[in-house]
Amino acid sequence: MRIGRAVAWAALGLLLGTAAHAQPVYKWVDANGKTHYGSQPPPAKQDAEPMKLQNNNGTSGGAGSAGSAGSKGGTAGKSAGATQYNADGTKKISKDVEEFGEGLKKSLGTVDGQQVPLNCSTAVDNIKYQADLMLEVGQKNVRDGYMTQAAFDSTAPKIREAKGKYSVSDCQGASGNKKSFYQCMSSSKNHVTGCDKQFKH
């Protein structure tokens, strides 16, 4: 019943559509020079700021603007900020957005240290909401030219199938790692990527 592979793909899809749906991703460097990412800066680094991205036409914006279809302008191909394409016809992702995506994956893969009581209804609602959001963002990326329809069509059924395997009754009868997974998903601060990684079942 693992959903890891489908979720890993969908987390990558989130990097372009996250502005409208997810918390900001903060970037900071610790005393040892190591770069960290998270949905909140650590207490000692309150000066950390949300990562700012540039879209393909060179203007500053959030991740959603990096994935907007409006970057094909009359000067496309003439300026340094013109949209570039991969061999499969999809738009190339800027380095800023790639960096944001890496930070987002790390953030989504981290489980909140504060445990909450198991709540099967909340856990299932969180799982289904996140699955629907991943599908929605994947469809947006297809529309905006950052993902091929074939790539979406090959992965979306796996997300839908995984989503259908989680239910309140399944949660109530769960034990071991599966029960821990449901408890992890009872917190709205957690994502299926992190809970699945920590509680393989």
Side-chain angles (χ1 to χ4, degrees):
M1 196 177 288
R2 291 291 312 285
I3 57 176
R5 288 190 181 188
V7 168
W9 168 85
L12 287 172
L14 278 173
L15 68 90
L16 292 174
T18 188
H21 305 289
Q23 296 176 332
V25 173
Y26 293 85
K27 175 182 175 182
W28 67 92
V29 179
D30 66 19
N32 297 321
K34 185 176 179 182
T35 302
H36 299 273
Y37 300 87
S39 58
Q40 296 180 351
K45 285 282 185 182
Q46 289 300 325
D47 58 335
E49 294 184 6
M51 292 180 66
K52 294 181 181 177
L53 309 174
Q54 283 194 333
N55 64 16
N56 286 339
N57 64 13
T59 60
S60 179
S65 63
S68 67
S71 56
K72 278 187 179 180
T75 59
K78 295 182 181 179
S79 68
T83 302
Q84 297 180 350
Y85 294 87
N86 298 305
D88 64 0
T90 57
K91 294 177 183 176
K92 283 191 177 180
I93 299 170
S94 72
K95 290 190 178 187
D96 285 345
V97 177
E98 282 182 13
E99 184 180 355
F100 176 85
E102 288 303 312
L104 180 60
K105 281 194 292 181
K106 289 179 183 179
S107 179
L108 294 179
T110 302
V111 171
D112 185 59
Q114 185 175 0
Q115 269 195 351
V116 300
L118 174 63
N119 183 321
C120 289
S121 178
T122 299
V124 171
D125 284 347
N126 285 338
I127 292 166
K128 296 193 175 198
Y129 169 77
Q130 290 178 14
D132 288 341
L133 178 59
M134 289 184 277
L135 291 167
E136 179 185 327
V137 172
Q139 290 169 335
K140 178 185 186 304
N141 288 336
V142 171
R143 287 193 305 270
D144 290 349
Y146 288 93
M147 179 182 295
T148 65
Q149 186 68 52
F152 178 80
D153 290 344
S154 70
T155 309
K158 297 172 189 173
I159 296 174
R160 292 187 186 105
E161 180 184 1
K163 172 187 166 186
K165 291 181 178 179
Y166 293 96
S167 66
V168 172
S169 60
D170 183 63
C171 173
Q172 290 168 341
S175 61
N177 270 5
K178 187 194 276 190
K179 182 176 182 180
S180 297
F181 171 79
Y182 276 115
Q183 182 172 356
C184 182
M185 287 306 300
S186 297
S187 170
S188 60
K189 294 181 180 178
N190 292 331
H191 190 270
V192 288
T193 305
C195 293
D196 181 67
K197 180 180 175 182
Q198 185 160 330
F199 303 108
K200 294 177 170 55
H201 58 283

